[in-house]
Amino acid sequence: ETWKIVTGYGSALFATQFIETAIALNVVNRLDESDGPGFLVLFGQGLSNVLIGFMGGMGSSGVVSMSVLADRTFGTTCLSTFMTGAMLFIFMAWGYPIINYIPLSAISGISIAMACSFIQWRSLVAVFTAFLPNNQRLLLPPQFNVDRLDVCIMLVVTAACLTVDVSALALFCIGVAVSTVMVCQDRGSEES
């Protein structure tokens, strides 16, 4: 009975971590315009999670935001990843009392600055150009001439993220339902 419960939760955690690491690898490959060692990273993550589990620790995965932050600050070598891990270990092992002296507003400010640096502000221009008439949209460069269906889906999912708990499955269902309806309407108008 215990093995069934552990296997179920373990498989769900494995799938989640595997997917998040694969997404992080994909994002970094697109930012660097390179092809990283995906299999080695996923194999190393799996091996380290098994070893950590035997030592009583908690497994982890690649985080997209940290990968983008490392890429934007030119920390793409093995030395940067080693130093990140070493500093995190030192901070967790001996530097944890310092946390009480760090103001929460400073951490919030860093988080907001990171979020602003991740936003592709060019996409906002693409949203505004979606409302232009077709003859004016044809004059724009291709990166600003985004399909209106894609813009509608992006706005609906963004509104759902702001109003619904992000971790809720309803967010995914809303996005799928809206995109399905829009694609069906688009295909129906093409056929008639």
Side-chain angles (χ1 to χ4, degrees):
E1 182 67 28
T2 304
W3 279 104
K4 287 182 182 179
I5 296 170
V6 170
T7 304
Y9 283 114
S11 336
L13 286 173
F14 167 76
T16 304
Q17 291 180 350
F18 185 83
I19 290 169
E20 187 173 4
T21 302
I23 290 171
L25 286 169
N26 190 11
V27 167
V28 170
N29 285 345
R30 286 185 182 189
L31 288 174
D32 287 347
E33 297 176 356
S34 64
D35 193 21
F39 176 75
L40 291 176
V41 171
L42 294 172
F43 180 77
Q45 175 190 329
L47 185 65
S48 67
N49 283 344
V50 168
L51 290 174
I52 288 295
F54 281 124
M55 292 184 215
M58 186 173 133
S60 64
S61 64
V63 181
V64 177
S65 61
M66 293 303 290
S67 302
V68 171
L69 179 66
D71 186 75
R72 296 239 172 141
T73 57
F74 306 106
T76 56
T77 63
C78 292
L79 178 63
S80 67
T81 54
F82 172 76
M83 287 305 296
T84 301
M87 293 306 293
L88 185 63
F89 174 73
I90 290 169
F91 188 72
M92 294 301 287
W94 298 289
Y96 60 89
I98 298 173
I99 292 175
N100 294 332
Y101 298 108
I102 299 175
L104 186 59
S105 57
I107 295 172
S108 300
I110 291 170
S111 299
I112 290 171
M114 284 178 54
C116 288
S117 71
F118 294 152
I119 294 173
Q120 291 188 355
W121 296 103
R122 185 177 35 174
S123 64
L124 292 176
V125 175
V127 168
F128 292 125
T129 59
F131 297 108
L132 293 175
N134 280 335
N135 57 359
Q136 290 181 346
R137 291 183 66 201
L138 293 175
L139 301 174
L140 297 172
Q143 68 265 24
F144 297 122
N145 199 356
V146 180
D147 189 25
R148 289 185 172 133
L149 172 64
D150 293 339
V151 171
C152 181
I153 292 170
M154 182 176 67
L155 292 174
V156 168
V157 171
T158 302
C161 283
L162 294 173
T163 58
V164 180
D165 182 17
V166 177
S167 64
L169 183 61
L171 177 67
F172 178 73
C173 295
I174 290 171
V176 170
V178 168
S179 63
T180 303
V181 168
M182 299 295 260
V183 168
C184 290
Q185 285 180 349
D186 193 35
R187 295 225 173 122
S189 65
E190 287 177 3
E191 291 177 0
S192 59

